[in-house]
């Protein structure tokens, strides 16, 4: 690995350096060798991944630290948070010289643990490991993970006792919107240095702009819009979009009570701890907008610095507000273009979006599975789709408009779009659950199978596929319950 620990050069007020508290008798969970290659792990490092993840053989250049941040949780100011069970062990350059954070989760108490125990359970670590991998291969910007270990020796209390685990995850950044909130609240003198760090490391092009801060704000807004459009298009619901769980590079972070939607229900809540339904699937774009608004407010104190290059504070506030106006059109633009690809319709045709919406209304009314319905459309399995509808007239109307729009277009390229944007496999809750239950009995074969399946979600893999991968559980079987407990 080629370390370049840039976060550690910031003010020590922003973190706490400490060692990993290892798991007793660690067992190998799973390791992503392809990602390790990309991150330039040596053969020796790859061979000793269990001890690296357990912190007992960290590379010499690793310099573990817990970050402090704050945030708004479920819309309320939550004060100081921080890595309560995680450590940034360092930052490494990948094969393309791209800076990547290496972060261990489940390493014991830190000064930011609050009431928590500093640990993570095997169940939630497997869910995070597979979800990051799944989103990555669905081409949605996301953190990913190199691997995980677990231990039966250390049992962790949640609703019941569960095996402990440590995840080694990667992300282009762990700087959260909530980092800015913490700085403004507790160490405002650090804001300029911190903004400069974000610009230099994540938005270097913006340094040459007239107002580097406004330029960065625009890019953060655009990347977030792109990520959320990606979530909506693959049916992903994050479940806990607090400002401390969104980062400044617009890549998915902190998988907890997330879910991939099965039957199409826009007001679907996967997180059973979310009683108000704040983080439903359909709310994600507006919540992202709200989170960005909170974040932009935290840039206002930069008004009189060179980074803002503003006439005065009022003007700068107005300019920040103007930046946020770009969020909705940017999101809609990404979403419309993605939906056109999923539908196999030409993007320049005005009827395309309405037709996509009509198809979604059918999925909603008939409670059809989101992923497999789009795949049936891809495979021209119109009869099978129609057979699952009660209101066949609505289906026939939609199909005739659909076919009329497609008639004069280039079929081959549209078909390719569909195949590349409509996955056969997503990570359904019950798939993850089965892998977890077997892993808890030391059988990692299902983790391995899902890892392989989700590496290539757009390709049929008949030799390893199970019928349960392709559809929701039958309605007489209980849904897998997912909550914030992890
Ligand atoms: P989350 O919403 O799961 O991302 O977590 C919110 C905050 O709680 C973060 O500061 C986490 O580090 C912290 N946290 C979550 N679980 C634990 C735990 N078991 N021990 C210590 N801190 C935790
Ligand atoms: Mg979090």
């Amino acid at each position: 690995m080629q370390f370049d620990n840039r976060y550690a050069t910031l003010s020590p007020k922003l973190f706490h350096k400490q060692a990993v508290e290892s798991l007793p008798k660690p067992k190998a969970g799973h390791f992503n060798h392809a990602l390790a290659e990309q991150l330039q792990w040596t053969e020796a490092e790859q061979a000793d991944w269990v001890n690296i993840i357990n912190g007992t053989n960290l590379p010499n250049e690793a310099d573990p630290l817990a970050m402090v941040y704050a945030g708004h949780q479920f819309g309320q100011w939550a004060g100081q948070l921080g890595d309560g069970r995680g450590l940034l062990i360092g930052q490494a350059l990948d094969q393309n010289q791209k800076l990547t954070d290496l972060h261990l989760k489940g390493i014991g108490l830190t000064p930011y643990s609050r009431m928590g125990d500093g640990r993570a359970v095997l169940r939630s670590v497997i869910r995070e490991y597979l979800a990051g991998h799944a989103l990555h291969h669905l081409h949605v910007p996301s953190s990913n993970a190199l691997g995980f270990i677990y231990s039966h020796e250390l049992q962790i209390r949640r609703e019941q006792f569960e095996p402990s685990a440590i995840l080694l995850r990667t992300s282009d950044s762990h700087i959260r919107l909530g980092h800015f909130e913490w700085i403004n609240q507790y160490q405002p003198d650090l804001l300029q240095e911190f903004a400069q760090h974000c610009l230099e490391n994540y938005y270097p092009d913006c340094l040459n702009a007239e107002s580097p801060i406004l330029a960065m704000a625009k890019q953060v807004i655009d990347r977030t819009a792109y990520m959320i459009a990606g979530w909506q298009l693959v049916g992903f619901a994050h479940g806990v979009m607090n400002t401390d769980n969104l980062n400044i590079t617009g890549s998915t972070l902190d998988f907890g009570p997330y879910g991939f939607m099965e039957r199409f229900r826009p007001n679907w809540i996967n997180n059973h701890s979310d009683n108000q339904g704040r983080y439903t699937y359909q709310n994600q774009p507006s919540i992202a907008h709200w989170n960005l608004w909170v974040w932009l407010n935290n840039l206002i104190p930069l008004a009189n610095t060179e980074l803002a290059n503003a006439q005065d504070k009022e003007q700068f506030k107005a300019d920040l507000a103007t930046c946020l106006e770009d969020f909705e059109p940017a999101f809609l633009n990404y979403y419309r273009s993605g939906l056109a690809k999923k539908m196999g319709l030409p993007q320049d045709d005005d009827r395309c979006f309405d037709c996509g919406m009509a198809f979604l209304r059918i999925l909603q009314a008939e409670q059809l599975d989101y992923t497999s319905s789009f795949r049936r459309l891809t495979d021209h399995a119109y009869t099978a789709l129609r057979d699952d509808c009660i209101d066949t007239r609505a289906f026939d109307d939609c199909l005739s408009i659909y076919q009329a729009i497609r008639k004069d277009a280039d079929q081959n390229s549209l078909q390719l779009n569909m195949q590349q944007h409509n996955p056969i496999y997503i990570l359904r809750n019950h798939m993850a659950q089965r892998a977890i239950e077997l892993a808890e009995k030391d059988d990692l074969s299902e983790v391995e199978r899902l890892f392989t399946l989700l590496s290539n979600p757009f390709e049929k893999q008949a030799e390893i596929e199970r019928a349960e991968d392709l559809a929701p559980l039958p309605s007489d079987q209980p849904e897998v319950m997912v909550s914030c407990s992890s």
Side-chain angles (χ1 to χ4, degrees):
M1 267 179 277
Q2 198 185 331
F3 278 87
D4 188 357
N5 298 333
R6 297 187 204 164
Y7 197 84
T9 64
L10 284 164
S11 162
K13 290 181 179 144
L14 292 166
F15 51 79
H16 179 259
K17 290 194 178 180
Q18 66 177 77
V20 175
E21 219 178 288
S22 306
L23 296 184
K25 296 203 181 149
K27 286 178 176 260
H30 199 267
F31 190 69
N32 186 339
H33 285 281
L35 185 54
E37 284 293 320
Q38 221 177 305
L39 283 163
Q40 313 195 72
W41 281 45
T42 62
E43 249 175 60
E45 285 166 339
Q46 291 195 43
D48 204 29
W49 66 268
V50 171
N51 289 317
I52 291 180
I53 297 183
N54 204 22
T56 44
N57 189 23
L58 283 182
N60 290 333
E61 304 91 323
D63 192 11
L65 59 87
M67 291 172 155
V68 65
Y69 49 85
H72 276 76
Q73 299 187 316
F74 291 90
Q76 305 292 325
W77 170 242
Q80 176 169 304
L81 302 166
D83 291 333
R85 51 173 168 172
L87 290 175
L88 179 73
I89 59 165
Q91 292 166 288
L93 296 172
D94 75 3
Q95 278 170 340
N96 304 317
Q97 299 299 297
K98 190 168 182 274
L99 192 67
T100 306
D101 285 4
L102 301 173
H103 177 106
L104 287 176
K105 186 164 176 178
I107 48 65
L109 294 172
T110 78
Y112 317 119
S113 299
R114 297 179 299 152
M115 308 298 282
D117 54 16
R119 293 298 185 184
V121 295
L122 179 59
R123 166 177 54 87
S124 66
V125 160
I126 291 178
R127 281 177 51 85
E128 177 150 6
Y129 183 68
L130 291 175
H133 179 63
L135 281 188
H136 177 73
H137 289 280
L138 290 166
H139 311 305
V140 178
S142 177
S143 63
N144 200 346
L146 277 153
F148 69 90
I149 58 166
Y150 66 103
S151 168
H152 292 292
E153 291 288 303
L154 179 66
Q155 292 279 316
I156 304 299
R157 189 177 186 153
R158 294 292 179 260
E159 272 88 22
Q160 54 197 21
F161 279 97
E162 301 183 43
S164 53
I166 299 179
L167 178 77
L168 175 50
R169 73 178 177 196
T170 58
S171 176
D172 49 8
S173 177
H174 280 79
I175 296 178
R176 300 145 193 273
L177 303 185
H179 271 81
F180 286 81
E181 296 180 79
W182 185 88
I183 291 170
N184 275 324
Q185 189 69 29
Y186 303 109
Q187 293 288 342
D189 291 350
L190 298 179
L191 186 62
Q192 193 175 347
E193 172 195 346
F194 193 73
Q196 180 79 30
H197 174 88
C198 295
L199 277 158
E200 281 171 10
N201 290 290
Y202 303 107
Y203 295 98
D205 298 350
C206 298
L207 285 166
N208 303 320
E210 206 175 295
S211 166
I213 289 295
L214 288 179
M216 176 166 79
K218 280 188 181 154
Q219 288 201 25
V220 171
I221 288 165
D222 190 71
R223 286 206 205 175
T224 306
Y226 182 77
M227 170 184 76
I228 302 287
W231 291 1
Q232 302 307 102
L233 289 162
V234 299
F236 175 81
H238 182 282
V240 58
M241 283 177 70
N242 296 332
T243 55
D244 53 302
N245 287 339
L246 259 66
N247 72 7
I248 58 149
T249 48
S251 51
T252 315
L253 198 64
D254 281 12
F255 295 92
Y258 72 85
F260 284 86
M261 188 163 56
E262 300 194 85
R263 298 183 196 284
F264 188 65
R265 284 182 280 170
N267 61 357
W268 174 62
I269 314 170
N270 190 57
N271 179 1
H272 284 268
S273 312
D274 181 7
N275 305 316
Q276 310 281 318
R278 179 178 172 86
Y279 297 137
T280 58
Y281 168 79
Q282 69 186 354
N283 281 0
Q284 297 189 121
S286 54
I287 292 290
H289 183 275
W290 189 87
N291 285 351
L292 289 166
W293 173 75
V294 170
W295 179 66
L296 291 171
N297 271 294
N298 283 279
L299 302 181
I300 294 171
L302 293 167
N304 54 7
T305 67
E306 270 178 27
L307 290 179
N309 191 20
Q311 271 171 11
D312 57 47
K313 194 168 175 179
E314 287 313 307
Q315 184 58 47
F316 187 57
K317 272 163 88 169
D319 290 344
L320 287 169
T322 307
C323 290
L324 191 56
E325 284 173 14
D326 290 346
F327 178 79
E328 192 180 329
F331 164 75
L332 278 175
N333 198 24
Y334 290 129
Y335 181 76
R336 275 171 194 263
S337 127
L339 187 62
K341 289 179 181 143
K342 283 177 80 69
M343 292 293 294
L345 293 175
Q347 290 180 50
D348 51 8
D349 192 307
D350 289 343
R351 298 168 296 175
C352 166
F353 189 63
D354 287 345
C355 184
M357 286 292 128
F359 184 64
L360 288 175
R361 275 196 298 278
I362 291 172
L363 300 194
Q364 184 181 4
E366 305 286 349
Q367 286 292 285
L368 299 182
D369 184 68
Y370 180 76
T371 303
S372 59
S373 298
F374 271 100
R375 199 63 202 194
R376 280 175 161 178
L377 199 65
T378 307
D379 299 337
H380 299 193
Y382 306 138
T383 315
L385 265 173
R386 187 181 193 275
D387 286 348
D388 277 347
C389 293
I390 296 170
D391 187 353
T392 47
R393 227 179 68 183
F395 180 83
D396 293 340
D397 288 349
C398 179
L399 186 64
S400 65
I401 294 170
Y402 177 68
Q403 289 178 319
I405 306 175
R406 270 174 72 104
K407 197 163 50 73
D408 302 321
D410 171 7
Q411 300 291 325
N412 287 341
S413 72
L414 293 180
Q415 193 59 24
L416 198 65
N417 270 343
M418 290 184 92
Q419 282 159 356
Q420 290 172 346
H421 292 85
N422 290 313
I424 302 174
Y425 310 110
I426 48 154
L427 182 62
R428 298 172 189 275
N429 277 335
H430 62 261
M431 293 160 70
Q433 189 57 29
R434 189 179 135 84
I436 290 162
E437 284 166 19
L438 288 168
E440 286 173 344
K441 294 181 211 144
D442 294 325
D443 178 352
L444 275 303
S445 60
E446 190 62 7
V447 171
E448 173 68 36
R449 189 184 75 86
L450 294 184
F451 184 85
T452 308
L453 203 68
L454 298 169
S455 299
N456 256 318
F458 302 100
E459 299 290 328
K460 184 80 175 162
Q461 296 167 64
E463 56 308 335
I464 61 164
E465 171 188 297
R466 291 166 53 90
E468 292 87 340
D469 301 334
L470 301 173
L473 288 177
S475 46
D476 59 345
Q477 290 193 35
E479 255 186 79
V480 176
M481 297 292 265
V482 176
S483 72
C484 277
S485 150
S486 64

